[in-house]
Amino acid sequence: MSSKLDLLIEVLAKPYKYLGNILPGDGTRKFAFQPNGRNPFIVIVKTHGGGKISEIHFEDDNQSDAKTGKGDAFQILSTVIQIAKDYVKKIQTIEEFWIIAKEEEEGSTSRAKLYKALIEKFAENEGFKLAKTEQLEKEGLFFVKYVLRRGNAAE
């Protein structure tokens, strides 16, 4: 990764403070954070496969996955990444981690590049590799699922 991109990530990746408890085992965990003057966001972490696979996604308090258009998408994803970091540090059994984020609108790639760079940086720092990306669709909205695997995890 280029040093300019690393610097940009460092400057932009200022997560919001969040609330929630990280607990081991299969199940769903919810976390919350509130961007300045906005509805809270809910971050959902689902763990399955005997604690080996976790997936994380987020929505606003209205249970909407739609883009907010408030100009803080990177800070929101930085918060989600911070929760993921804290999660994998505490739950050592995780071999595969999925990060699900709203897909970039057609013709626009800057946000997608920053998201991917931030996710790759997280993966590198936490002992994961970006194994693949998948396109998902839910109720007419499109998402990208980033599949991260620990260096020693089998496909």
Side-chain angles (χ1 to χ4, degrees), residues 139-151:
E139 298 173 5
L141 297 174
F142 295 91
F143 301 87
V144 177
K145 177 169 110 177
Y146 299 89
V147 178
L148 310 175
R149 291 194 180 101
R150 285 219 189 260

Side-chain angles (χ1 to χ4, degrees), residues 29-48:
R29 314 289 185 262
K30 290 188 179 182
F31 301 85
F33 65 93
Q34 187 165 9
N36 301 328
R38 305 221 344 247
N39 287 337
F41 274 73
I42 306 300
V43 178
I44 300 162
V45 180
K46 294 180 181 177
T47 302
H48 45 93

